[in-house]
Amino acid sequence: MSESSKSLSFLAAGVVSLAAAYFVSAGPSEFDPADKVGQRLNEFEVDEPKSLKIVKVAASGTKLDEFEVAEQGGVWTIPSKQGYPADATEQMASAATGLINREILRVQAKTADEHAALGVLNPSTAELKGNNEGVGTRVVMTDAEDKTLVDLVVGNEVKDSPGQYYVRNANQDVVYVVALEPEKLATDFGQWIEDDLLKLDPFNISQIYINDYSAEMSLAVSANGRLVPQVSWDRRGQMRLAYDNKDAKWRPLELVAFSRQTGEPEPRPLADDEELNEDVLRELRNGLDDLLIVDVERKPTGLSADLKAGDDFLKDRANAESLADRGFAPVRIEEGGPMEILSSEGEAICTMRNGVEYVLRFGKLAMDSDADADVAADGSGGKLNRYLFVSARFNEKVVERPELKDVPPLPEGTDEPVAPDATAAAEEGETSDEPTEDEEEEEESDDSDSAEETDEEATEDDGDADGKDASAEDKPADPEAELETLIAERKSIQAENDRLLDRYQETLKEGRKTVDELNERFGDWYYVISEDVYKQIHLSLDQVIKKKADDKADAAAGSAPADDDPLSGLPNLPLGGEQ
């Protein structure tokens, strides 16, 4: 065979081999997406997901909104919120349930040409041009080993088929139709956390203190190069109110107004025709009971355990600016004392009966970054929020001390009784219960005498018409019996006093422990609350004080019956309204 013939033979064999390899490899890799219909899109156990990431275009259309929650070491946190603790066990199970074992109902598209029309463009790679048209929501779930369980892009809801959505795997072009519950894929921060910030019992509120002021704050550089906060005050009023559980009413402990002319505090007592506005104060208490947070931001380091600024806090310009940007400034209230946090819009202190005090300092407005888009979307005027700096402290003075009973004194010359020592008694030697011969003879003589006395007593009793010993009333008191009674009474009173004191000390201990736990929870975070909640809690004197109703006018208007009123002659019957 010539060389040319050999070359052609090898070439032909190579072509055949390539063709065979092509058909072998291509055959199994090709699939018809229609074969997936009726199968499950994702299959995993509901407790497998240990992280969830949701990416979508923010309402403004100019940035991505990313939310992430993950479990690490058995603790759920929100990495997209700088690791804020999450209350995510139930919410994560709900999200997994919304995606698990979704049946593919049909194939909608096989190529990327239709992605925009179906709303399944990947937000992670889409070009944002001021709108989110055609861009879907990407959902990624991973397990404890960081293995991907779900990586979907969820698109538009299918027209005329409620509950059905266009979806695709993020790394595939094929678009399926599946039944989903996207409402379970919540990205609302409040749905993933313990949003009741204070977790207090409103019925245990003892006092409320409101310091109503505004403060303009700025930072200046001192001669030694340190930052010094500059504060311009507008002080309006201070109110300290106590709640009486028995009467279910508030009463003023201190009302102070600041003079507009001098800026000095002046007492502001209630006039005869004024009273506290119970409706407004009831809403205040409700607001504290349900103080919901809408967002959080991590604080700078350098605050002490009780959230006071240390002496070197202002050496770090970034720390000081972080506070100032949100409406807070460290100031030294007392010379030589620690730096206290001053807020731009006043403060409120809620004192509980167990001595725990919640200190709420209100900072600047925190406008939602997508407020303009929200206005256009729903006409709500945007989301106005406000920064809140929270700390806790303990006030022992408000804890009710127990009323102890006086222990009656022993008679003069009487020592406090000491319990007998059983060991000492044993050392004195054992005594026999058997009587001696002399004791037996003495007992027999006593028995004879007793018999004679009994006969005489019986004769005397027969002669007594009432059967009563007339001398019993004249019998002298037994000093030993009275002393025993007194000693028993003293022991009972002392035991009750000790019980009350133990309970009081336990209340103090638990209160201090609660304060430590609260400051550990509050310590790292600025909180953001809605402006409506701020207005519900931060009240002015004008809101707290109101004019009394004119009882005489109300009586004249509401109680005078008409001439033809059939009930006009019947006494004490209500004529309508609440009595």
Side-chain angles (χ1 to χ4, degrees):
M1 182 180 290
S2 65
E3 291 296 325
S4 59
S5 298
K6 290 181 180 179
S7 298
L8 289 174
S9 298
F10 284 124
L11 178 62
V15 170
V16 172
S17 298
L18 288 173
Y22 171 78
F23 286 112
V24 169
S25 61
S29 65
E30 291 184 351
F31 71 97
D32 185 352
D35 294 339
K36 301 285 288 183
V37 175
Q39 297 184 21
R40 304 294 178 183
L41 185 62
N42 297 292
E43 293 187 86
F44 54 88
E45 298 298 326
V46 70
D47 59 348
E48 279 190 72
K50 298 302 178 184
S51 75
L52 167 67
K53 186 174 183 180
I54 300 175
V55 183
K56 61 183 180 181
V57 180
S60 63
T62 58
K63 67 172 188 175
L64 291 179
D65 183 5
E66 297 188 10
F67 178 84
E68 186 177 1
V69 62
E71 183 190 58
Q72 294 182 341
V75 178
W76 287 96
T77 63
I78 304 177
S80 58
K81 290 294 181 181
Q82 301 171 295
Y84 189 79
D87 186 17
T89 303
E90 293 184 7
Q91 188 68 33
M92 192 67 178
S94 177
T97 302
L99 295 175
I100 196 171
N101 296 333
R102 298 289 102 179
E103 180 184 350
I104 297 175
L105 302 178
R106 69 173 185 273
V107 176
Q108 185 66 30
K110 298 181 180 180
T111 65
D113 297 339
E114 299 182 60
H115 285 182
L118 301 177
V120 291
L121 292 176
N122 191 336
S124 302
T125 58
E127 294 184 11
L128 304 181
K129 300 178 180 179
N131 62 64
N132 58 352
E133 184 176 353
V135 181
T137 299
R138 186 177 181 182
V139 183
V140 181
M141 282 185 174
T142 60
D143 63 12
E145 281 73 40
D146 206 28
K147 175 185 175 183
T148 300
L149 301 174
V150 174
D151 190 354
L152 290 178
V153 179
V154 180
N156 301 334
E157 188 174 21
V158 179
K159 186 178 181 181
D160 299 328
S161 298
Q164 296 182 13
Y165 290 82
Y166 301 117
V167 302
R168 69 180 180 91
N169 289 313
N171 60 349
Q172 295 178 357
D173 290 336
V174 179
V175 181
Y176 303 106
V177 174
V178 299
L180 284 181
E181 299 175 83
E183 65 275 6
K184 293 185 176 181
L185 302 173
T187 58
D188 181 6
F189 175 67
Q191 292 184 251
W192 289 90
I193 63 168
E194 171 56 70
D195 56 357
D196 183 0
L197 179 60
L198 304 182
K199 296 194 291 188
L200 57 78
D201 181 356
F203 295 102
N204 282 329
I205 293 177
S206 173
Q207 295 181 19
I208 294 291
Y209 170 77
I210 301 174
N211 195 356
D212 179 25
Y213 66 82
S214 295
E216 290 290 334
M217 304 177 189
S218 60
L219 295 173
V221 181
S222 65
N224 60 5
R226 298 187 65 177
L227 291 176
V228 179
Q230 304 288 326
V231 181
S232 175
W233 290 79
D234 176 18
R235 307 181 75 177
R236 295 180 288 270
Q238 293 176 348
M239 296 146 273
R240 191 179 302 278
L241 312 170
Y243 187 75
D244 189 333
N245 273 331
K246 293 181 180 178
D247 296 335
K249 277 193 169 187
W250 292 91
R251 58 186 176 88
L253 299 179
E254 177 188 20
L255 298 175
V256 174
F258 287 85
S259 171
R260 287 294 181 184
Q261 288 72 34
T262 66
E264 294 298 316
E266 300 174 350
R268 170 62 171 89
L270 292 175
D272 292 340
D273 63 343
E274 292 178 332
E275 63 184 356
L276 297 181
N277 192 327
E278 292 288 340
D279 293 335
V280 167
L281 294 175
R282 186 182 305 110
E283 287 302 308
L284 162 65
R285 195 168 70 159
N286 291 340
L288 292 169
D289 176 31
D290 195 22
L291 184 60
L292 304 182
I293 57 178
V294 298
D295 204 354
V296 293
E297 294 180 18
R298 187 174 284 277
K299 283 202 205 89
T301 58
L303 296 177
S304 60
D306 57 359
L307 309 190
K308 294 179 180 179
D311 290 339
D312 60 347
F313 185 80
L314 290 180
K315 292 180 181 179
D316 190 323
R317 187 182 187 94
N319 285 352
E321 289 179 347
S322 171
L323 284 170
D325 289 346
R326 291 160 180 80
F328 307 106
V331 297
R332 202 180 303 279
I333 304 297
E334 298 179 3
E335 187 170 350
M339 291 286 186
E340 300 280 357
I341 301 299
L342 181 71
S343 50
S344 62
E345 291 302 326
E347 63 184 25
I349 300 175
C350 174
T351 303
M352 310 301 291
R353 299 188 186 280
N354 66 349
V356 176
E357 290 188 331
Y358 297 85
V359 183
L360 311 178
R361 297 179 173 97
F362 304 104
K364 292 181 179 180
L365 287 173
M367 178 73 75
D368 190 294
S369 59
D370 290 318
D372 293 339
D374 293 333
V375 173
D378 59 19
S380 64
K383 297 178 181 178
L384 282 179
N385 300 320
R386 189 171 293 276
Y387 286 106
L388 175 67
F389 192 113
V390 186
S391 62
R393 66 192 189 192
F394 188 70
N395 185 351
E396 181 177 332
K397 295 179 181 179
V398 301
V399 181
E400 185 177 356
R401 294 186 65 89
E403 294 185 6
L404 305 181
K405 291 184 178 181
D406 293 331
V407 179
L410 290 170
E412 188 174 351
T414 304
D415 295 331
E416 190 74 28
V418 179
D421 188 341
T423 303
E427 291 176 353
E428 293 179 0
E430 296 183 358
T431 58
S432 173
D433 293 335
E434 295 295 330
T436 64
E437 292 182 1
D438 293 340
E439 288 174 341
E440 289 178 352
E441 292 177 358
E442 187 176 342
E443 285 178 5
E444 290 176 0
S445 175
D446 290 343
D447 291 341
S448 175
D449 294 341
S450 297
E452 294 177 1
E453 290 174 1
T454 303
D455 293 339
E456 292 175 359
E457 289 173 0
T459 304
E460 291 175 2
D461 288 343
D462 291 341
D464 190 345
D466 297 329
K468 179 179 178 183
D469 186 356
S471 64
E473 296 179 357
D474 300 330
K475 186 177 181 179
D478 185 348
E480 292 186 4
E482 289 185 349
L483 180 59
E484 289 180 2
T485 301
L486 177 60
I487 291 173
E489 181 184 1
R490 285 167 54 85
K491 288 182 177 179
S492 175
I493 293 175
Q494 189 61 56
E496 177 63 12
N497 286 347
D498 290 344
R499 187 186 67 80
L500 293 175
L501 285 173
D502 288 344
R503 189 168 65 180
Y504 172 71
Q505 293 298 330
E506 187 64 25
T507 299
L508 298 182
K509 180 181 177 181
E510 290 180 357
R512 293 189 177 97
K513 180 182 177 182
T514 298
V515 166
D516 291 341
E517 292 172 349
L518 289 171
N519 281 334
E520 184 177 356
R521 182 156 62 93
F522 300 149
D524 293 335
W525 307 98
Y526 298 113
Y527 295 96
V528 179
I529 61 173
S530 75
E531 182 70 357
D532 291 338
V533 172
Y534 162 73
K535 291 178 178 178
Q536 188 177 353
I537 296 173
H538 185 261
L539 303 175
S540 66
L541 278 168
D542 291 340
Q543 292 173 294
V544 170
I545 299 174
K546 73 170 186 176
K547 291 286 186 181
K548 288 182 179 179
D550 190 340
D551 295 336
K552 293 182 179 179
D554 291 345
S559 63
D563 292 340
D564 58 350
D565 189 343
L567 302 179
S568 60
L570 299 178
N572 301 325
L573 288 179
L575 300 178
E578 186 174 310
Q579 298 298 310

